[in-house]
Amino acid sequence: MAIRAFAAAASALLLIALLPAAAGSAPYKVKDLRVLSGPSPFATGCPGALFDETRIAGAEIEPAITVNPADPRNIVATWQQDVGRFASRSDLIGTSRNGGRSWKRVTIPGLSKCTGGTADSASDPWVSAGRGGAVYFSGANLFLTPEESFGANVASRSRDGGRSWSPLVTVAEPSPRVERAVVTADPGRPGYAYLVWWDRDPALIPPLDGTLQFARTTDGGRSWSRPKTIDLAPPNGFDQSGEALVLPDGVLLIVFARLEVLPDGTFLNTLFATRSEDRGLTWSTPVKAVAQQVQPVADPETGVALSNQDMTFHSATVAPDGNVYVAWDHDTAATTGTIEIAKSTDGGISWSGPTPIAGVTAFAFEPAIAVDKHGTLGVIWYDHRNDRLGDVPLTTDVWFAQSRDGGGSWRQTHVAGPFDLRAAPSPTGFPRLGEYQGLAGLRRGFAAVFTQAAPQAKDGPTDIFFARIAPGDVDDEGEDDR
């Protein structure tokens, strides 16, 4: 039955490929698709790391990606390597100098015991390249005890396109409350970068509490400012999943989600935005962009929770014209859902939407959104449109959609798959691809990183893949992206 399911998926993909093009939209193609991660460099484990036996060699999740504005053929990615119950053995870096055709894998010195540090695990990697070619890394290293984990948000910088990295700087000290940090390099001011994360009750049991935190560097990552509270959630709520954007006029915009427990016991997620006109010294009162109830969804065949995030881990981008876009998944059942987009044309002061991407009606999750230098909007995500209830695999594919009219219309392209989501690592009881994937804009087209399980993955239960997605008239060697 598994063979029939994958054959049916392939037939569906062929049918989609034969559909006529949308008016005014040239077809986008996958110009390059390759495995990025490779065999684990830590297959024998990390001596002395607590709970190291829970790590799975070759299990990779949560990739992020950036493109060097000083050299667009220099692409840098990061991901978690050897995932286990308590995060991974370390975060890895992949760097390319030829537009993604070949890659060199390196480590962040001192990030975990596997790379010469003192932490038991690492998690939540992110990368961002700024003006002048500096590439910034942010992540978490975890110090474990039998009772709990303490995470510290750390940062590093590379001056050679991701091939070597500076010593780690701790931005937020170890705490059981520290969660995912996202770094953003300032494209207009060399040496400036911004870090946003959330500080919350680790138990996640009502009453909830948490805050949105911010720090910045003005000296190229050698030092970071003391953490600053940007927003304090109301009682029984916490802020989460923030991301800083730098608008064309230099204004900083942070988009973040707030989870609240309603009086009836249900959960509400609200997307907010706050602005700073002095590069993070002061911030405006957050404005609401959109709100929706959180609706967890379970796999009907196993009862295990599926990976919808409902705005918790959204993805945001800013276009050359200053328009801001935020994408997230919105699923209503195990077989129905979509990817939604909110838009601001005034720098985050007011918002329109959400608007679903037309043609996405199956369970969909973990979108990443970006815009290329020509203003084309791109989104990648996973969905289950080709899954068949009752068979062995949970058939999952990676999809891409592009819009040349600011999200008014979309054209889809199949990127990768099918693969079996149930084959992904499940150290905590449910299959995991992580909480996010990565997409970055090129001159024309996009660079994407994402996770796939078997049968696409070859080195362990999952592999990280790279894809270059571009219009059909852009050559395969990437020369138009120089």
Side-chain angles (χ1 to χ4, degrees):
M1 295 183 70
I3 294 175
R4 289 200 299 271
F6 278 93
S11 299
L13 298 179
L14 177 61
L15 177 61
I16 291 172
L18 295 175
L19 292 175
S25 178
Y28 271 53
K29 299 180 179 180
V30 178
K31 299 301 184 98
D32 190 15
L33 175 63
R34 63 183 67 238
V35 176
L36 173 55
S37 51
S40 170
F42 314 123
T44 59
C46 299
L50 201 61
F51 300 115
D52 188 69
E53 70 278 3
T54 70
R55 316 296 195 272
I56 305 170
E60 300 99 356
I61 62 171
E62 288 189 350
I65 193 168
T66 190
V67 177
N68 189 340
D71 178 9
R73 293 173 65 80
N74 176 206
I75 303 174
V76 181
T78 185
W79 63 90
Q80 288 193 50
Q81 181 69 50
D82 296 356
V83 176
R85 183 181 178 187
F86 298 99
S88 61
R89 287 188 168 124
S90 194
D91 299 330
L92 287 193
I93 296 290
T95 177
S96 174
R97 293 183 174 179
N98 55 14
R101 282 176 289 166
S102 62
W103 294 83
K104 177 181 176 63
R105 293 185 302 160
V106 301
T107 61
I108 302 289
L111 184 59
S112 75
K113 288 183 177 178
C114 270
T115 63
T118 59
D120 298 290
S121 285
S123 185
D124 298 339
W126 203 268
V127 283
S128 182
R131 187 172 179 178
V135 184
Y136 297 87
F137 165 88
S138 66
N141 52 15
L142 277 70
F143 303 85
L144 305 177
T145 74
E147 291 77 27
E148 60 184 338
S149 64
F150 294 81
N153 283 337
V154 294
S156 181
R157 178 197 61 194
S158 174
R159 290 184 175 274
D160 57 4
R163 297 206 163 198
S164 63
W165 293 84
S166 65
L168 286 177
V169 176
T170 298
V171 183
E173 295 294 334
S175 166
R177 298 178 59 94
V178 169
E179 266 289 356
R180 187 188 77 151
V182 175
V183 66
T184 301
D186 194 318
R189 180 165 288 197
Y192 277 63
Y194 313 100
L195 200 64
V196 183
W197 70 97
W198 36 303
D199 177 286
R200 50 83 171 157
D201 178 3
L204 297 181
I205 299 175
L208 305 176
D209 74 276
T211 63
L212 185 71
Q213 300 288 309
F214 170 86
R216 71 175 191 175
T217 179
T218 61
D219 57 9
R222 288 185 291 273
S223 64
W224 290 80
S225 64
R226 292 178 59 85
K228 178 183 180 67
T229 298
I230 301 301
D231 184 71
L232 175 63
N236 221 10
F238 64 79
D239 296 336
Q240 56 188 341
S241 187
E243 182 175 355
L245 302 172
V246 184
L247 305 182
D249 60 3
V251 170
L252 293 188
L253 178 72
I254 292 179
V255 180
F256 66 96
R258 179 186 295 161
L259 180 69
E260 296 177 81
V261 182
L262 301 179
D264 63 0
T266 60
F267 293 86
L268 179 72
N269 241 347
T270 305
L271 195 70
F272 286 92
T274 178
R275 291 162 46 96
S276 173
E277 297 185 1
D278 51 17
R279 288 182 165 82
L281 297 179
T282 60
W283 293 88
S284 66
T285 301
V287 298
K288 183 174 76 172
V290 65
Q292 67 183 39
Q293 284 197 297
V294 177
Q295 184 171 335
V297 178
D299 183 339
E301 298 176 70
T302 66
V304 173
L306 293 174
S307 297
N308 63 311
Q309 304 289 348
D310 286 324
M311 294 198 304
T312 302
F313 292 98
H314 51 267
S315 177
T317 191
V318 56
D321 62 5
N323 288 345
V324 180
Y325 302 88
V326 186
W328 64 90
D329 55 50
H330 186 191
D331 298 300
T332 54
T335 56
T336 57
T338 191
I339 302 299
E340 294 187 335
I341 310 291
K343 179 179 180 180
S344 175
T345 61
D346 57 9
I349 297 173
S350 62
W351 295 82
S352 61
T355 304
I357 293 180
V360 183
T361 59
F363 184 91
F365 58 105
E366 294 186 18
I369 191 168
V371 63
D372 71 9
K373 299 302 181 183
H374 283 234
T376 299
L377 197 63
V379 182
I380 62 165
W381 70 94
Y382 303 103
D383 74 34
H384 296 163
R385 70 183 69 181
N386 293 317
D387 184 54
R388 304 181 74 177
L389 293 176
D391 63 3
V392 174
L394 180 51
T395 303
T396 308
D397 292 273
V398 184
W399 292 89
F400 169 83
Q402 98 265 7
S403 174
R404 294 184 174 178
D405 57 5
S409 60
W410 297 87
R411 181 187 172 104
Q412 294 187 44
T413 300
H414 181 258
V415 177
F419 65 90
D420 180 9
L421 183 61
R422 295 192 184 112
S426 53
T428 57
F430 59 93
R432 292 185 63 198
L433 298 181
E435 296 165 339
Y436 53 86
Q437 317 303 318
L439 189 70
L442 301 168
R443 181 173 177 269
R444 290 187 67 198
F446 299 85
V449 285
F450 47 87
T451 308
Q452 292 191 93
Q456 307 298 334
K458 307 301 182 184
D459 292 301
T462 49
D463 282 334
I464 303 298
F465 288 76
F466 167 81
R468 181 170 169 269
I469 310 167
D473 57 352
V474 174
D475 70 279
D476 290 336
E477 300 302 317
E479 294 178 357
D480 281 355
D481 293 322
R482 288 179 180 172

